Amino acid sequence: MTATPAVTPATSVTPAGPTAAAVADAPGSGDAPGPIPGAPAADGPIPEPVREPVPGPPAPAAGVRPVRAGGRLRALDGLRLVAALMVAAYHYGGRDGDIARAWGGSPRHQFPTLSAWFAYGCLGVQIFFVISGFVICMSGWGRPLRSFFASRVSRLYPAYWAAIVIVTAVFALPWVAYRTVSPSDALVNLTMLQQPVGAERVLGVCWTLWAELRFYALFALFVVLPGANRQRVLIFCGVWTLAAAITDAVHQPMLSTVLMPEYAPFFTGGIGLYLLHRDRRDVIAWGVVGVSWAIGQHYAVAGLWHRADPAFFSYRHTAVIIAVVTLGFVLVGAVALGFFRWADWRWLTVAGALTYPFYLVHEHLGWVVVAVLHRELGIPAYGTLALTVALMLGLAWLLNRCVEDRLTPLLRSALSRSITSPRSR
């Protein structure tokens, strides 16, 4: 089971990235353009260390803050990890469903005070999407489409493939109480297109990666391909916002799938914040952020105030939902405007690198770990929660070091060579 927001990541995100990648562009670790998701790929929500791209040669106009070559937005890395931990709190203690089987009863009974607050953790996904919009705009600025494509794919897929294999293998173990998907559906999951083709999901959180992929495709087609600049980015945000609103009004499923009315405001909000990162006096960018926030909180309230599915803890307070969404925009905005420039600690880069793999594996493998620690070893609920998060972060570190650090550069290099080789022309 997973959070089904209109809400619940990659910077680099980041899902990825994210990126949630994820994501100096996506969810995961960073790869700067000169050198995206959400993450996350933000990627992508999903989620990775965020590098600032090298700006173009022209000198910045008055009021435009020049972007430092090779600089890291370490505070954004830390924020991505906070968003991932919010989602983990929701999955472990803020809802019922499969996690209740792991605890041996509703998390309400395990965390009688905190479970009501954990229920708001699914809003970490909306924060991932805002970060992803920021990072993907930063990643795509001044970058050709082939480089953007290679960057996104290489950031999103290595850790994702590893997570699919690990979760499928663990759920296939005889003593594990959770059913694995069929071999056919597991293979489809490797493409990250399981939802549109109707295959059963291996990872519950992968619905956010499907949203990230659609965002990347729209941004690549309408901004990166013709060449990113302020005017084109602003037109993209305005047209997407209006088209998404119309789509929601006319109830067209196909257009809704493409334009994602409930998630678009968070991506465009992040894009607007990146424009403010470049020039804090950009009045139109402030307007993009304000409109995106207003529409985004509406969809968050509509999707989360009361869900009919009994697996979800219902009747969250509208005011708290609005406050969490607002706080997400404010914190990303504070990073964009340089208010967290002092938070330049190296460990934040490590935190950003762990976000995407942690986001991928924490939910389903967390069910298994919680059951072992709490029901078989008798560890109290709060101890089990802390140990489970620590173990998932440890696994994320292994995936980052053994999979992402090794495969991401190889895949990016192979894709870049393939796209630019004479035979492909």
Side-chain angles (χ1 to χ4, degrees):
M1 300 287 296
T2 185
T4 310
V7 333
T8 128
T11 27
S12 167
V13 233
T14 294
T19 301
V23 247
D25 330 29
S29 347
D31 66 64
I36 52 327
D43 219 79
I46 272 140
E48 57 251 30
V50 182
R51 298 176 186 268
E52 301 187 33
V54 180
V64 177
R65 180 191 298 104
V67 183
R68 296 173 302 154
R72 277 188 191 275
L73 298 177
R74 296 186 194 270
L76 202 58
D77 291 329
L79 183 56
R80 290 179 53 244
L81 182 60
V82 170
L85 292 175
M86 288 174 61
V87 176
Y90 170 72
H91 284 147
Y92 294 158
R95 56 167 295 161
D96 279 327
D98 287 308
I99 189 62
R101 293 170 53 197
W103 287 113
S106 173
R108 291 181 188 274
H109 304 144
Q110 309 298 331
F111 310 102
T113 302
L114 290 181
S115 62
W117 293 103
F118 288 165
Y120 295 97
C122 52
L123 287 162
V125 168
Q126 275 75 356
I127 298 175
F128 274 139
F129 288 163
V130 175
I131 295 172
S132 184
F134 182 101
V135 168
I136 293 305
C137 189
M138 178 171 68
S139 176
W141 202 281
R143 169 178 265 176
L145 181 60
R146 62 180 180 274
S147 174
F148 181 81
F149 172 79
S151 168
R152 294 302 82 234
V153 171
S154 62
R155 182 58 60 198
L156 274 182
Y157 278 93
Y160 173 79
W161 286 330
I164 291 291
V165 171
I166 292 171
V167 172
T168 300
V170 169
F171 275 26
L173 295 173
W175 57 271
V176 173
Y178 299 96
R179 183 179 61 86
T180 189
V181 304
S182 70
S184 174
D185 283 354
L187 291 174
V188 173
N189 272 259
L190 295 174
T191 69
M192 214 178 280
L193 297 175
Q194 55 272 26
Q195 285 185 259
V197 302
E200 189 174 355
R201 294 177 290 169
V202 172
L203 306 176
V205 298
C206 73
W207 70 267
T208 64
L209 302 182
W210 171 228
E212 292 275 354
L213 282 180
R214 287 174 283 171
F215 167 49
Y216 300 159
L218 290 171
F219 193 81
L221 182 61
F222 295 107
V223 177
V224 178
L225 180 60
N229 57 44
R230 174 180 174 275
Q231 181 180 31
R232 190 166 286 124
V233 168
L234 287 173
I235 292 173
F236 173 76
C237 290
V239 171
W240 190 10
T241 298
L242 183 59
I246 293 172
T247 296
D248 206 22
V250 299
H251 306 294
Q252 287 292 328
M254 186 185 77
L255 287 177
S256 185
T257 298
V258 173
L259 297 175
M260 304 179 288
E262 68 272 44
Y263 310 131
F266 301 100
F267 292 122
T268 57
I271 293 172
L273 289 170
Y274 177 67
L275 293 178
L276 292 176
H277 175 67
R278 296 178 64 88
D279 179 6
R280 65 174 63 195
R281 296 192 297 188
D282 189 334
V283 175
I284 300 179
W286 280 107
V288 169
V289 174
V291 170
S292 298
W293 165 79
I295 298 175
Q297 63 80 28
H298 161 77
Y299 279 113
V301 169
L304 288 177
W305 175 69
H306 175 53
R307 301 201 65 89
D309 190 325
F312 296 88
F313 291 177
S314 297
Y315 299 111
R316 298 171 180 87
H317 293 284
T318 298
V320 179
I321 296 172
I322 296 173
V324 174
V325 170
T326 303
L327 183 61
F329 272 83
V330 168
L331 289 176
V332 178
V335 174
L337 296 175
F339 291 110
F340 286 114
R341 201 169 293 156
W342 52 268
D344 196 31
W345 308 303
R346 294 181 64 86
W347 66 267
L348 288 175
T349 299
V350 178
L354 299 185
T355 301
Y356 183 47
F358 173 81
Y359 181 73
L360 292 174
V361 301
H362 82 273
E363 184 186 14
H364 286 15
L365 294 184
W367 300 345
V368 179
V369 173
V370 165
V372 171
L373 295 179
H374 186 64
R375 297 174 61 190
E376 296 185 21
L377 299 182
I379 297 176
Y382 285 96
T384 294
L385 178 65
L387 281 172
T388 302
V389 170
L391 289 171
M392 292 301 102
L393 285 171
L395 177 57
W397 181 84
L398 288 174
L399 288 173
N400 176 251
R401 295 298 299 272
C402 300
V403 177
E404 290 188 304
D405 283 355
R406 298 183 183 186
L407 293 187
T408 294
L410 294 176
L411 182 56
R412 182 169 56 240
S413 177
L415 288 171
S416 298
R417 284 197 308 270
S418 174
I419 294 171
T420 58
S421 67
R423 292 183 181 180
S424 65
R425 294 173 188 164

